[in-house]
Amino acid sequence: MSSSAADTDRSPPAKKARTEPNGNTGTQCSTSSIPPSASLEVSQNGMANAENDIDEGLYSRQLYVLGHDAMRRMGASNVLISGMRGLGVEIAKNVVLAGVKSVTLHDTGDVTWEDLSSQFFLQEADIGKNRAEVTLPRLAELNTYVPVNTHTGGMDDEFLGKFQVVVLTNSSLTEQLRINEFCHSKGIRFVVADTKGLFGQIFCDFGENFSVADPNGEPPISNMVASVDKDEEAVVTCMDETRHNYESGDFVTFTEIKGMTQLNGCEPKEIKVLGPYTFSIGDTSGMSDYVRGGIVTQVKVPKIMKFKSMKESIEQPELMLTDFAKFDRPGQLHIAFQALHEYFKQNGSLPKPRNKSDADKFVAIAKKINDSSAAKVELDSDLMQQVAYSACGDICPMAAVIGGITAQEVMKACSGKFTPVNQWLYFDALECLPEKPDEKLTEETCKPRNCRYDSQIAIFGEQFQQQLGSLKYFLVGAGAIGCEMLKNWAMMGLACSEGGEITVTDMDTIEKSNLNRQFLFRPWDVQKTKASTAAAAVKRMNPNVKITHHEDRVGPETENVYNDNFFEGLSGVANALDNVDARMYMDRRCVYYRKSLLESGTLGTKANVQVVIPHLTESYSSSQDPPEKSIPICTLKNFPNAIEHTLQWARDQFEGLFSQPAENAIQYATDPKFMERTLKMPGTQPLEILDLLKKTLVDEKPASFQDCVKWARNLWQENYNNQIRQLLFNFPQDQTTSSGALFWSGPKRCPHPLTFDTANTTHLDYIVSGANLRAEMFGMPHNRDRNAIAKMATAVEVPKFEPRSGVTIATTDAEATARQNEGSLDDTDLESVQSALPSPEKLKSFGIRPVEFEKDDDTNFHMDFIVAASNLRAENYDIPAADRHKSKLIAGKIIPAIATTTSLVVGLVCLELIKLTQGHKNMEAYKNGFVNLALPFFAFSEPIAAPKNKYYDTEFSLWDRFEIQGDMTLEQFLKYFEEHYNLEITMLSQGVCMLYSFFMAPAKRKERLSMPMSEVVRKVSKKKIPPHVKALVLEICCNDKDGEDVEVPYVKYNLARP
């Protein structure tokens, strides 16, 4: 939702004509389901062709998860998805967004009421029509690069042979076994996915020789080498700056080793970890002696996986654990799903909701199957009964969870990227049922009503549906998570009855790169507001949903909108945000108003869910991730050793060259106090800022584009030649430290100066982008004629430079900071610079504007400059260069994202919302979760209880407070705490204002004691209390009756309004 994470490429993906229409709409098998020319067409329309033409504008965030190679392999895969109920369409949606070669939808059934609780592309008017045919046009809109076809006949071997991946979602066990036998024999990847009520199942068979190119998707780890033993079991020691983070069994190779050069570029060596900084690599006894230096880098070695056929695997199952608290559940559900197939085979339907007779029949079948199974378990009859009771149900959150996981498995099958499920995965959300479900739910309350929520009522009953419909929820953010949340809510019927309402806010507009994972948006929506477009989209999915959209940022500036009346009327809040500050702000608001908060986030294939429950759990802000490790200033300025360092340096250059100078100039021209503030800065900072201002407004102010080229050419010389020569003058290549070690060793890489050459593309890229950005800052038009710019650059007379003695270069951050803050300021120089500046009045009409960095517009020269500036500096220090794609990820601080993870995490969030709506008070029913689909790995735990504090005998947590009704005087307020709580207030504050303290001057204290509290706040803060504010938040420090400091809650002081 934040502008910093916005995607700003304006153009929607190109729409190109397909060689065939969007599929066969007949009722029989058609040979045109996958056109013979599809391969040619897909390569032409941008997914994967000989020119590696992947639309990076559309797929950019997903590319950072999967990489180009995996995307190309996906672009060669035809996928069949059978079954277009809620689960099938969820899988198809994610696979189409991902960008495979083609998707064929198969379904022989027609739309019924039961489909509408989870199939978001179906509407009431579609009842009676074929599910696949109705779904096709709405699904095809998601990605113009992926042809979508339908097939409504049988699935014989000839038809199945056209696909690389086959997915079955609504099929009998007999059909699953038949199709799997064929697919297993032909090397076709095969997936079964199913949901029955609150239970889900996935089975994967990718053949007997499936190669996983990258098991975990993590970037290869590199470390600097400190030493290598010459031994039969050689030990490698890494620099002790950070732990190496390798694991035994990893493979590594080496570069830049001095002495033992046989290791450089060696075949990957398997390692055994010995400690946080050491590992062994095998025999080096026949190699040269190690001298110094070197970089060790992890190598991803393909892993071969052998999958059993479904027939074999049913009897000898490999079961994945999705919840460590349910250790025996997978084995139980393995039997239960077989029993459901058998029950359907015998009865022609699933057990009716909450029907005791049907449940007893089902349990008997389950026992019989279990007794004859090679995978026999100690059957839990109560669990089997709950499976029977909810088997007819079909809810959107379960489809989202199982559909997200399954779609990722399809992508693994296509690409070989990440580790597949091996081989059975079972998941359940039994905790969503009300406490004592057998007392609260009956066959009558769960029977069908011929309405769109029948499949949800089958599980939770009619009363729960009414509760959902009357909820009032605030959704903060309408990006990827927000879109999925709204889809789930609309299908569930949240805020679809009288009294219910969803309020969604998002300040961003839709960008092209959003379309790959924010599935409520279409190419023609680019540049529309997210909140309004998402609201309209879910209205089409379920016309009954009551939704209000805003375009506001949540924060102190909008507390007049999201005020006491707004929050007090809410049932709860769900965050769909992309930045920590906004999350923490909403968390504080929820704690203050005592509202539940559903918090979630994704990072590539990783996702987390946290449920915050008033008076029960800790809040989001109670625990925080450690701050990101910053790069030392001296490393950036003079001693880079990794491409991340040169990219950060390039970003700093961008801000310092094209943004900060213009901002300073504008402040100087418009802010009367700019000069006063600047002169008060410590050390030499005033002179540095004013000197830069003088250069911008006087010395280097361009009169033409030629001047901009001259400026860029001289800057190139300064950065990549002069400064490097000065650095080597101060610290020659053979310089040693006081201990006798080489200065240029370890993390310090010895640089070399570059010589400018217009024939070098990177050199010219720097001049072209730098000159154009300089021109833009001064209001001049761009010039894209590279030949003309090259001639201008060649004509520039570059001043001769010779390194000088007496130039001090800091080698540590402490030195650099000390010099900046403690350097002596020459008043004469400062006065000279000040006098040379034009008066602010003369600059009122001066056309200068800061250039705000925007990573996603490939025409604006921003990334051109960053890439060139970084790679030139990398060349200075012999650091491998980074391409534009990697540079954009690092410099743009892009968060990798993929639709599958978002689908899964929102499904988990909505399961928690169901529990909140049920009113669960037992924390064990709730699940915080962490998931990594790449591994795959699932970890769930009950939320952490809110920590308790105590004063006297009163316990309190972050959810508690003193609540006082105004309007008292300050003296009355102090006495109130003495008389009611036996507490002496020693300090009282509101925000950043100190209202009272025991050490306050007597006269001031006497004056304030007689004033009403609201007047004290107005006087001290020098601000009026806004009309929408009903209460003040006051922080107090107190002593108990023994005079000891005691921690107490905050005070909510309710204002006495007329």
PDB file of all heavy atoms in Angstrom, residues 758-786:
ATOM      1  N   THR A 758      34.121   6.009 -24.969  1.00  0.00           N
ATOM      2  CA  THR A 758      32.733   6.089 -25.437  1.00  0.00           C
ATOM      3  C   THR A 758      32.295   4.808 -26.140  1.00  0.00           C
ATOM      4  O   THR A 758      31.089   4.564 -26.303  1.00  0.00           O
ATOM      5  CB  THR A 758      32.537   7.276 -26.398  1.00  0.00           C
ATOM      6  OG1 THR A 758      33.482   7.172 -27.467  1.00  0.00           O
ATOM      7  CG2 THR A 758      32.707   8.603 -25.687  1.00  0.00           C
ATOM      8  N   ALA A 759      33.226   3.986 -26.573  1.00  0.00           N
ATOM      9  CA  ALA A 759      32.872   2.715 -27.211  1.00  0.00           C
ATOM     10  C   ALA A 759      32.441   1.678 -26.177  1.00  0.00           C
ATOM     11  O   ALA A 759      31.863   0.644 -26.544  1.00  0.00           O
ATOM     12  CB  ALA A 759      34.066   2.185 -28.017  1.00  0.00           C
ATOM     13  N   ASN A 760      32.726   1.939 -24.911  1.00  0.00           N
ATOM     14  CA  ASN A 760      32.291   1.040 -23.851  1.00  0.00           C
ATOM     15  C   ASN A 760      30.847   1.396 -23.480  1.00  0.00           C
ATOM     16  O   ASN A 760      30.549   2.508 -23.047  1.00  0.00           O
ATOM     17  CB  ASN A 760      33.207   1.203 -22.627  1.00  0.00           C
ATOM     18  CG  ASN A 760      32.889   0.210 -21.521  1.00  0.00           C
ATOM     19  OD1 ASN A 760      31.756   0.118 -21.067  1.00  0.00           O
ATOM     20  ND2 ASN A 760      33.913  -0.504 -21.067  1.00  0.00           N
ATOM     21  N   THR A 761      29.945   0.417 -23.648  1.00  0.00           N
ATOM     22  CA  THR A 761      28.510   0.675 -23.468  1.00  0.00           C
ATOM     23  C   THR A 761      28.198   1.194 -22.071  1.00  0.00           C
ATOM     24  O   THR A 761      27.408   2.128 -21.908  1.00  0.00           O
ATOM     25  CB  THR A 761      27.708  -0.614 -23.729  1.00  0.00           C
ATOM     26  OG1 THR A 761      27.989  -1.067 -25.052  1.00  0.00           O
ATOM     27  CG2 THR A 761      26.213  -0.373 -23.598  1.00  0.00           C
ATOM     28  N   THR A 762      28.815   0.601 -21.062  1.00  0.00           N
ATOM     29  CA  THR A 762      28.523   1.018 -19.690  1.00  0.00           C
ATOM     30  C   THR A 762      28.997   2.440 -19.440  1.00  0.00           C
ATOM     31  O   THR A 762      28.320   3.219 -18.755  1.00  0.00           O
ATOM     32  CB  THR A 762      29.178   0.058 -18.680  1.00  0.00           C
ATOM     33  OG1 THR A 762      28.828  -1.278 -19.019  1.00  0.00           O
ATOM     34  CG2 THR A 762      28.734   0.352 -17.264  1.00  0.00           C
ATOM     35  N   HIS A 763      30.168   2.801 -19.993  1.00  0.00           N
ATOM     36  CA  HIS A 763      30.670   4.176 -19.847  1.00  0.00           C
ATOM     37  C   HIS A 763      29.667   5.162 -20.436  1.00  0.00           C
ATOM     38  O   HIS A 763      29.336   6.181 -19.819  1.00  0.00           O
ATOM     39  CB  HIS A 763      32.017   4.322 -20.552  1.00  0.00           C
ATOM     40  CG  HIS A 763      33.123   3.530 -19.916  1.00  0.00           C
ATOM     41  ND1 HIS A 763      34.460   3.827 -20.114  1.00  0.00           N
ATOM     42  CD2 HIS A 763      33.108   2.469 -19.069  1.00  0.00           C
ATOM     43  CE1 HIS A 763      35.206   2.966 -19.437  1.00  0.00           C
ATOM     44  NE2 HIS A 763      34.394   2.125 -18.805  1.00  0.00           N
ATOM     45  N   LEU A 764      29.196   4.846 -21.650  1.00  0.00           N
ATOM     46  CA  LEU A 764      28.277   5.768 -22.310  1.00  0.00           C
ATOM     47  C   LEU A 764      26.913   5.777 -21.621  1.00  0.00           C
ATOM     48  O   LEU A 764      26.256   6.829 -21.551  1.00  0.00           O
ATOM     49  CB  LEU A 764      28.131   5.399 -23.789  1.00  0.00           C
ATOM     50  CG  LEU A 764      27.378   6.424 -24.661  1.00  0.00           C
ATOM     51  CD1 LEU A 764      28.031   7.803 -24.562  1.00  0.00           C
ATOM     52  CD2 LEU A 764      27.327   5.950 -26.108  1.00  0.00           C
ATOM     53  N   ASP A 765      26.477   4.608 -21.109  1.00  0.00           N
ATOM     54  CA  ASP A 765      25.212   4.561 -20.360  1.00  0.00           C
ATOM     55  C   ASP A 765      25.237   5.554 -19.203  1.00  0.00           C
ATOM     56  O   ASP A 765      24.241   6.229 -18.923  1.00  0.00           O
ATOM     57  CB  ASP A 765      24.978   3.155 -19.787  1.00  0.00           C
ATOM     58  CG  ASP A 765      24.520   2.159 -20.841  1.00  0.00           C
ATOM     59  OD1 ASP A 765      24.144   2.585 -21.940  1.00  0.00           O
ATOM     60  OD2 ASP A 765      24.556   0.946 -20.544  1.00  0.00           O
ATOM     61  N   TYR A 766      26.370   5.622 -18.518  1.00  0.00           N
ATOM     62  CA  TYR A 766      26.497   6.533 -17.382  1.00  0.00           C
ATOM     63  C   TYR A 766      26.350   7.985 -17.834  1.00  0.00           C
ATOM     64  O   TYR A 766      25.620   8.769 -17.205  1.00  0.00           O
ATOM     65  CB  TYR A 766      27.862   6.322 -16.710  1.00  0.00           C
ATOM     66  CG  TYR A 766      28.069   7.179 -15.480  1.00  0.00           C
ATOM     67  CD1 TYR A 766      27.710   6.717 -14.225  1.00  0.00           C
ATOM     68  CD2 TYR A 766      28.632   8.456 -15.568  1.00  0.00           C
ATOM     69  CE1 TYR A 766      27.899   7.485 -13.084  1.00  0.00           C
ATOM     70  CE2 TYR A 766      28.826   9.236 -14.445  1.00  0.00           C
ATOM     71  CZ  TYR A 766      28.450   8.740 -13.202  1.00  0.00           C
ATOM     72  OH  TYR A 766      28.635   9.527 -12.086  1.00  0.00           O
ATOM     73  N   ILE A 767      27.007   8.342 -18.929  1.00  0.00           N
ATOM     74  CA  ILE A 767      26.947   9.724 -19.422  1.00  0.00           C
ATOM     75  C   ILE A 767      25.541  10.062 -19.901  1.00  0.00           C
ATOM     76  O   ILE A 767      24.988  11.122 -19.557  1.00  0.00           O
ATOM     77  CB  ILE A 767      27.962   9.938 -20.566  1.00  0.00           C
ATOM     78  CG1 ILE A 767      29.386   9.580 -20.121  1.00  0.00           C
ATOM     79  CG2 ILE A 767      27.896  11.377 -21.072  1.00  0.00           C
ATOM     80  CD1 ILE A 767      29.911  10.386 -18.971  1.00  0.00           C
ATOM     81  N   VAL A 768      24.940   9.162 -20.689  1.00  0.00           N
ATOM     82  CA  VAL A 768      23.600   9.416 -21.233  1.00  0.00           C
ATOM     83  C   VAL A 768      22.584   9.571 -20.106  1.00  0.00           C
ATOM     84  O   VAL A 768      21.800  10.531 -20.081  1.00  0.00           O
ATOM     85  CB  VAL A 768      23.179   8.276 -22.188  1.00  0.00           C
ATOM     86  CG1 VAL A 768      21.703   8.419 -22.581  1.00  0.00           C
ATOM     87  CG2 VAL A 768      24.055   8.264 -23.437  1.00  0.00           C
ATOM     88  N   SER A 769      22.575   8.627 -19.162  1.00  0.00           N
ATOM     89  CA  SER A 769      21.588   8.695 -18.078  1.00  0.00           C
ATOM     90  C   SER A 769      21.871   9.853 -17.137  1.00  0.00           C
ATOM     91  O   SER A 769      20.953  10.593 -16.752  1.00  0.00           O
ATOM     92  CB  SER A 769      21.556   7.374 -17.307  1.00  0.00           C
ATOM     93  OG  SER A 769      22.832   7.057 -16.788  1.00  0.00           O
ATOM     94  N   GLY A 770      23.137  10.044 -16.783  1.00  0.00           N
ATOM     95  CA  GLY A 770      23.482  11.133 -15.872  1.00  0.00           C
ATOM     96  C   GLY A 770      23.151  12.493 -16.449  1.00  0.00           C
ATOM     97  O   GLY A 770      22.585  13.353 -15.763  1.00  0.00           O
ATOM     98  N   ALA A 771      23.465  12.702 -17.728  1.00  0.00           N
ATOM     99  CA  ALA A 771      23.188  13.994 -18.370  1.00  0.00           C
ATOM    100  C   ALA A 771      21.689  14.237 -18.463  1.00  0.00           C
ATOM    101  O   ALA A 771      21.204  15.366 -18.240  1.00  0.00           O
ATOM    102  CB  ALA A 771      23.828  14.034 -19.756  1.00  0.00           C
ATOM    103  N   ASN A 772      20.928  13.206 -18.792  1.00  0.00           N
ATOM    104  CA  ASN A 772      19.480  13.374 -18.921  1.00  0.00           C
ATOM    105  C   ASN A 772      18.812  13.623 -17.581  1.00  0.00           C
ATOM    106  O   ASN A 772      17.877  14.429 -17.486  1.00  0.00           O
ATOM    107  CB  ASN A 772      18.868  12.153 -19.609  1.00  0.00           C
ATOM    108  CG  ASN A 772      18.910  12.263 -21.124  1.00  0.00           C
ATOM    109  OD1 ASN A 772      18.152  13.015 -21.727  1.00  0.00           O
ATOM    110  ND2 ASN A 772      19.822  11.517 -21.745  1.00  0.00           N
ATOM    111  N   LEU A 773      19.273  12.970 -16.542  1.00  0.00           N
ATOM    112  CA  LEU A 773      18.712  13.211 -15.218  1.00  0.00           C
ATOM    113  C   LEU A 773      19.064  14.608 -14.715  1.00  0.00           C
ATOM    114  O   LEU A 773      18.246  15.287 -14.076  1.00  0.00           O
ATOM    115  CB  LEU A 773      19.205  12.149 -14.236  1.00  0.00           C
ATOM    116  CG  LEU A 773      18.645  10.739 -14.459  1.00  0.00           C
ATOM    117  CD1 LEU A 773      19.392   9.710 -13.621  1.00  0.00           C
ATOM    118  CD2 LEU A 773      17.153  10.694 -14.139  1.00  0.00           C
ATOM    119  N   ARG A 774      20.277  15.060 -15.036  1.00  0.00           N
ATOM    120  CA  ARG A 774      20.695  16.426 -14.688  1.00  0.00           C
ATOM    121  C   ARG A 774      19.806  17.437 -15.423  1.00  0.00           C
ATOM    122  O   ARG A 774      19.333  18.420 -14.827  1.00  0.00           O
ATOM    123  CB  ARG A 774      22.163  16.621 -15.085  1.00  0.00           C
ATOM    124  CG  ARG A 774      22.744  17.986 -14.785  1.00  0.00           C
ATOM    125  CD  ARG A 774      23.107  18.141 -13.335  1.00  0.00           C
ATOM    126  NE  ARG A 774      23.889  19.335 -13.077  1.00  0.00           N
ATOM    127  CZ  ARG A 774      24.245  19.740 -11.881  1.00  0.00           C
ATOM    128  NH1 ARG A 774      23.908  19.035 -10.826  1.00  0.00           N
ATOM    129  NH2 ARG A 774      24.961  20.834 -11.704  1.00  0.00           N
ATOM    130  N   ALA A 775      19.570  17.169 -16.703  1.00  0.00           N
ATOM    131  CA  ALA A 775      18.713  18.064 -17.492  1.00  0.00           C
ATOM    132  C   ALA A 775      17.297  18.085 -16.930  1.00  0.00           C
ATOM    133  O   ALA A 775      16.680  19.157 -16.820  1.00  0.00           O
ATOM    134  CB  ALA A 775      18.700  17.601 -18.950  1.00  0.00           C
ATOM    135  N   GLU A 776      16.794  16.929 -16.558  1.00  0.00           N
ATOM    136  CA  GLU A 776      15.441  16.850 -16.001  1.00  0.00           C
ATOM    137  C   GLU A 776      15.338  17.656 -14.713  1.00  0.00           C
ATOM    138  O   GLU A 776      14.346  18.345 -14.474  1.00  0.00           O
ATOM    139  CB  GLU A 776      15.085  15.389 -15.751  1.00  0.00           C
ATOM    140  CG  GLU A 776      13.682  15.181 -15.201  1.00  0.00           C
ATOM    141  CD  GLU A 776      13.364  13.717 -14.959  1.00  0.00           C
ATOM    142  OE1 GLU A 776      13.988  12.853 -15.611  1.00  0.00           O
ATOM    143  OE2 GLU A 776      12.502  13.435 -14.110  1.00  0.00           O
ATOM    144  N   MET A 777      16.361  17.579 -13.874  1.00  0.00           N
ATOM    145  CA  MET A 777      16.328  18.308 -12.610  1.00  0.00           C
ATOM    146  C   MET A 777      16.243  19.819 -12.844  1.00  0.00           C
ATOM    147  O   MET A 777      15.601  20.537 -12.079  1.00  0.00           O
ATOM    148  CB  MET A 777      17.572  17.968 -11.787  1.00  0.00           C
ATOM    149  CG  MET A 777      17.552  18.528 -10.370  1.00  0.00           C
ATOM    150  SD  MET A 777      18.920  17.954  -9.336  1.00  0.00           S
ATOM    151  CE  MET A 777      20.279  18.959  -9.938  1.00  0.00           C
ATOM    152  N   PHE A 778      16.860  20.275 -13.926  1.00  0.00           N
ATOM    153  CA  PHE A 778      16.847  21.714 -14.224  1.00  0.00           C
ATOM    154  C   PHE A 778      15.774  22.088 -15.248  1.00  0.00           C
ATOM    155  O   PHE A 778      15.818  23.178 -15.815  1.00  0.00           O
ATOM    156  CB  PHE A 778      18.225  22.143 -14.728  1.00  0.00           C
ATOM    157  CG  PHE A 778      19.242  22.303 -13.621  1.00  0.00           C
ATOM    158  CD1 PHE A 778      20.098  21.271 -13.293  1.00  0.00           C
ATOM    159  CD2 PHE A 778      19.313  23.483 -12.889  1.00  0.00           C
ATOM    160  CE1 PHE A 778      21.028  21.401 -12.270  1.00  0.00           C
ATOM    161  CE2 PHE A 778      20.233  23.625 -11.862  1.00  0.00           C
ATOM    162  CZ  PHE A 778      21.092  22.586 -11.547  1.00  0.00           C
ATOM    163  N   GLY A 779      14.843  21.184 -15.500  1.00  0.00           N
ATOM    164  CA  GLY A 779      13.706  21.514 -16.356  1.00  0.00           C
ATOM    165  C   GLY A 779      13.993  21.503 -17.840  1.00  0.00           C
ATOM    166  O   GLY A 779      13.251  22.115 -18.617  1.00  0.00           O
ATOM    167  N   MET A 780      15.056  20.822 -18.263  1.00  0.00           N
ATOM    168  CA  MET A 780      15.386  20.738 -19.695  1.00  0.00           C
ATOM    169  C   MET A 780      14.844  19.434 -20.275  1.00  0.00           C
ATOM    170  O   MET A 780      14.694  18.446 -19.571  1.00  0.00           O
ATOM    171  CB  MET A 780      16.906  20.779 -19.890  1.00  0.00           C
ATOM    172  CG  MET A 780      17.569  22.044 -19.416  1.00  0.00           C
ATOM    173  SD  MET A 780      19.355  21.940 -19.703  1.00  0.00           S
ATOM    174  CE  MET A 780      19.907  23.430 -18.887  1.00  0.00           C
ATOM    175  N   PRO A 781      14.581  19.404 -21.580  1.00  0.00           N
ATOM    176  CA  PRO A 781      14.088  18.171 -22.199  1.00  0.00           C
ATOM    177  C   PRO A 781      15.176  17.108 -22.286  1.00  0.00           C
ATOM    178  O   PRO A 781      16.368  17.411 -22.294  1.00  0.00           O
ATOM    179  CB  PRO A 781      13.641  18.621 -23.595  1.00  0.00           C
ATOM    180  CG  PRO A 781      14.433  19.857 -23.864  1.00  0.00           C
ATOM    181  CD  PRO A 781      14.634  20.529 -22.551  1.00  0.00           C
ATOM    182  N   HIS A 782      14.739  15.828 -22.339  1.00  0.00           N
ATOM    183  CA  HIS A 782      15.674  14.716 -22.504  1.00  0.00           C
ATOM    184  C   HIS A 782      16.270  14.705 -23.905  1.00  0.00           C
ATOM    185  O   HIS A 782      15.693  15.247 -24.851  1.00  0.00           O
ATOM    186  CB  HIS A 782      14.962  13.380 -22.267  1.00  0.00           C
ATOM    187  CG  HIS A 782      14.650  13.112 -20.830  1.00  0.00           C
ATOM    188  ND1 HIS A 782      13.748  12.153 -20.416  1.00  0.00           N
ATOM    189  CD2 HIS A 782      15.125  13.659 -19.682  1.00  0.00           C
ATOM    190  CE1 HIS A 782      13.679  12.127 -19.110  1.00  0.00           C
ATOM    191  NE2 HIS A 782      14.495  13.042 -18.636  1.00  0.00           N
ATOM    192  N   ASN A 783      17.432  14.075 -24.031  1.00  0.00           N
ATOM    193  CA  ASN A 783      18.083  13.851 -25.326  1.00  0.00           C
ATOM    194  C   ASN A 783      18.487  12.375 -25.368  1.00  0.00           C
ATOM    195  O   ASN A 783      19.320  11.934 -24.582  1.00  0.00           O
ATOM    196  CB  ASN A 783      19.304  14.760 -25.473  1.00  0.00           C
ATOM    197  CG  ASN A 783      19.966  14.612 -26.836  1.00  0.00           C
ATOM    198  OD1 ASN A 783      19.801  13.605 -27.522  1.00  0.00           O
ATOM    199  ND2 ASN A 783      20.727  15.643 -27.241  1.00  0.00           N
ATOM    200  N   ARG A 784      17.881  11.594 -26.270  1.00  0.00           N
ATOM    201  CA  ARG A 784      18.127  10.154 -26.321  1.00  0.00           C
ATOM    202  C   ARG A 784      19.065   9.758 -27.472  1.00  0.00           C
ATOM    203  O   ARG A 784      19.205   8.574 -27.761  1.00  0.00           O
ATOM    204  CB  ARG A 784      16.803   9.411 -26.437  1.00  0.00           C
ATOM    205  CG  ARG A 784      15.894   9.662 -25.242  1.00  0.00           C
ATOM    206  CD  ARG A 784      14.555   8.943 -25.351  1.00  0.00           C
ATOM    207  NE  ARG A 784      13.702   9.303 -24.217  1.00  0.00           N
ATOM    208  CZ  ARG A 784      13.718   8.682 -23.038  1.00  0.00           C
ATOM    209  NH1 ARG A 784      14.530   7.661 -22.853  1.00  0.00           N
ATOM    210  NH2 ARG A 784      12.924   9.073 -22.064  1.00  0.00           N
ATOM    211  N   ASP A 785      19.695  10.714 -28.081  1.00  0.00           N
ATOM    212  CA  ASP A 785      20.607  10.439 -29.201  1.00  0.00           C
ATOM    213  C   ASP A 785      21.984  10.075 -28.649  1.00  0.00           C
ATOM    214  O   ASP A 785      22.790  10.939 -28.309  1.00  0.00           O
ATOM    215  CB  ASP A 785      20.693  11.672 -30.111  1.00  0.00           C
ATOM    216  CG  ASP A 785      21.463  11.385 -31.396  1.00  0.00           C
ATOM    217  OD1 ASP A 785      22.275  10.432 -31.408  1.00  0.00           O
ATOM    218  OD2 ASP A 785      21.258  12.120 -32.374  1.00  0.00           O
ATOM    219  N   ARG A 786      22.247   8.757 -28.533  1.00  0.00           N
ATOM    220  CA  ARG A 786      23.497   8.290 -27.923  1.00  0.00           C
ATOM    221  C   ARG A 786      24.718   8.745 -28.726  1.00  0.00           C
ATOM    222  O   ARG A 786      25.757   9.083 -28.147  1.00  0.00           O
ATOM    223  CB  ARG A 786      23.484   6.762 -27.804  1.00  0.00           C
ATOM    224  CG  ARG A 786      22.510   6.262 -26.753  1.00  0.00           C
ATOM    225  CD  ARG A 786      22.478   4.732 -26.726  1.00  0.00           C
ATOM    226  NE  ARG A 786      23.717   4.141 -26.273  1.00  0.00           N
ATOM    227  CZ  ARG A 786      24.022   3.877 -25.004  1.00  0.00           C
ATOM    228  NH1 ARG A 786      23.152   4.178 -24.049  1.00  0.00           N
ATOM    229  NH2 ARG A 786      25.172   3.308 -24.672  1.00  0.00           N
TER     230      ARG A 786
END
